[in-house]
């Protein structure tokens, strides 16, 4: 049976986007850099933090996954370049001529980017947890101090790991949406990194505790990374999955804005 034209168009667009992303010179290097930084920063944090006695108050899982706060920047840059590179080279005109359905093109880009970040993010998170499992016991994170070895068999650890992978995917989609709206690489990267890193700085200089909490609840990074927490959840400004939902809302808004602008303006 012949496939519907919409399905055919999307499949063709997805294959084209995969080819462009795979053959882009920086893609492989950026993905490797994202994985390496995520694991390296996680290892460095695990080596630096000590737990000398019972009840030291540290979240071992979150320590092992600290590298996500750095690796996300590379993921964001990769997502931005996936769009801005085409505008910079003029290839976007060829893309939209071959595939006039602009929303189909954006959906294909988002799908391919999601798949790539999902794979590399999973590798980075699993490697970070393995490193934490090997390093943390030597710093006092032992059963005697109330810490079991890091394991995906533990529900909160599994949630933190899966949530961290989804977090990286959502960061990529946020970057994709912003880049589609802005088109130029430098301002798009500045906007995304500003949302991620400047937002918490602004929150930190606010004196009012209530306003601090509210800002933390809407900050893409602070709210999104709540999904990594495995202890003292009641003290968080927002719950783990709700926090990831906040980041998803930011990504969806960026994609919607990018899609509307892509659909309504000239290439």
């Amino acid at each position: 049976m012949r496939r519907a034209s919409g399905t055919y168009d999307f499949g063709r667009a997805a294959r084209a986007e995969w080819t462009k992303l795979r053959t882009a010179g920086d893609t492989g290097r950026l993905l490797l850099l994202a994985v390496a930084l995520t694991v390296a920063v996680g290892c460095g944090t695990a080596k630096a933090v000590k737990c000398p006695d019972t009840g030291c108050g540290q979240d071992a899982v979150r320590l092992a996954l600290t590298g996500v706060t750095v690796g996300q920047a590379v993921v964001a840059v990769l997502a931005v370049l996936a769009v801005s590179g085409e505008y910079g080279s003029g290839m976007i005109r060829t893309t939209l001529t071959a595939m006039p359905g602009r929303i189909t093109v954006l959906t294909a880009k988002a799908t391919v980017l999601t798949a790539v970040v999902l794979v590399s993010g999973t590798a980075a998170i699993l490697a970070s947890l393995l490193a934490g499992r090997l390093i943390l016991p030597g710093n006092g994170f032992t059963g005697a101090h109330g810490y079991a070895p890091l394991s995906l068999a533990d529900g909160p650890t599994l949630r933190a790991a899966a949530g961290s992978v989804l977090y990286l995917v959502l960061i990529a989609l946020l970057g994709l949406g912003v880049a589609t709206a802005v088109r130029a690489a430098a301002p798009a990267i500045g906007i995304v990194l500003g949302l991620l890193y400047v937002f918490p700085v602004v929150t930190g200089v606010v004196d009012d505790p209530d306003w601090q909490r509210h800002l933390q609840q809407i900050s893409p990074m602070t709210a999104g990374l709540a999904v990594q927490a495995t202890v003292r959840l009641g003290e968080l400004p927002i719950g783990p999955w709700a926090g990831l939902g906040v980041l998803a809302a930011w990504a969806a808004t960026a994609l919607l804005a990018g899609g509307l602008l892509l659909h309504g303006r000239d290439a």
Side-chain angles (χ1 to χ4, degrees):
M1 181 179 293
R2 189 175 180 179
R3 291 181 295 178
S5 62
T7 304
Y8 175 75
D9 288 345
F10 176 77
R12 189 157 60 95
R15 286 193 295 273
E17 294 304 326
W18 164 241
T19 299
K20 284 186 285 186
L21 191 63
R22 177 173 54 85
T23 56
D26 292 332
T27 300
R29 288 191 289 271
L30 286 173
L31 288 172
L32 287 175
L33 180 61
V35 174
L37 283 176
T38 301
V39 177
V41 173
C43 288
T45 304
K47 288 181 179 180
V49 179
K50 310 293 183 182
C51 183
D53 50 37
T54 302
C56 60
Q58 297 289 344
D59 188 333
V61 176
R62 203 162 194 174
L63 289 174
L65 298 177
T66 302
V68 171
T69 60
V70 179
Q72 65 176 348
V74 184
V75 170
V77 170
L78 170 66
V80 168
L81 294 181
V83 175
S84 63
E86 282 198 81
Y87 279 103
S89 66
M91 186 182 291
I92 189 67
R93 297 185 181 87
T94 303
T95 296
L96 297 180
T97 299
M99 183 60 62
R102 298 187 174 199
I103 301 305
T104 300
V105 170
L106 181 59
T107 304
K109 285 182 181 293
T111 301
V112 170
L113 187 63
T114 294
V116 169
V117 176
L118 196 63
V119 172
S120 57
T122 299
I125 297 305
L126 290 179
S128 297
L129 286 176
L130 177 59
R133 181 184 175 92
L134 296 174
I135 296 170
L136 287 170
N139 287 351
F141 291 87
T142 61
H145 292 165
Y147 291 93
L150 300 186
S151 171
L152 292 177
D154 175 60
T157 302
L158 178 60
R159 184 253 299 150
S164 294
V165 175
L166 292 176
Y167 176 89
L168 291 172
V169 169
L170 291 171
I171 292 298
L173 294 178
L174 174 64
L176 182 68
V178 171
T180 303
V182 176
R183 298 192 282 193
I189 291 172
I191 290 171
V192 177
L193 296 187
L195 285 172
L196 294 178
Y197 296 112
V198 177
F199 217 125
V201 173
V202 173
T203 301
V205 300
V206 173
D207 293 330
D208 189 297
D210 290 333
W211 272 105
Q212 275 191 343
R213 186 176 182 85
H214 292 322
L215 289 172
Q216 289 171 340
Q217 289 171 337
I218 64 172
S219 167
M221 183 169 76
T222 305
L225 287 178
V227 78
Q228 292 183 341
T230 62
V231 299
R232 301 188 304 278
L233 301 186
E235 299 176 12
L236 296 174
I238 191 169
W241 290 119
L244 198 65
V246 169
L247 177 58
W250 278 96
T253 300
L255 285 171
L256 178 61
L260 290 174
L261 289 170
L262 179 65
H263 181 72
R265 70 189 174 195
D266 294 334

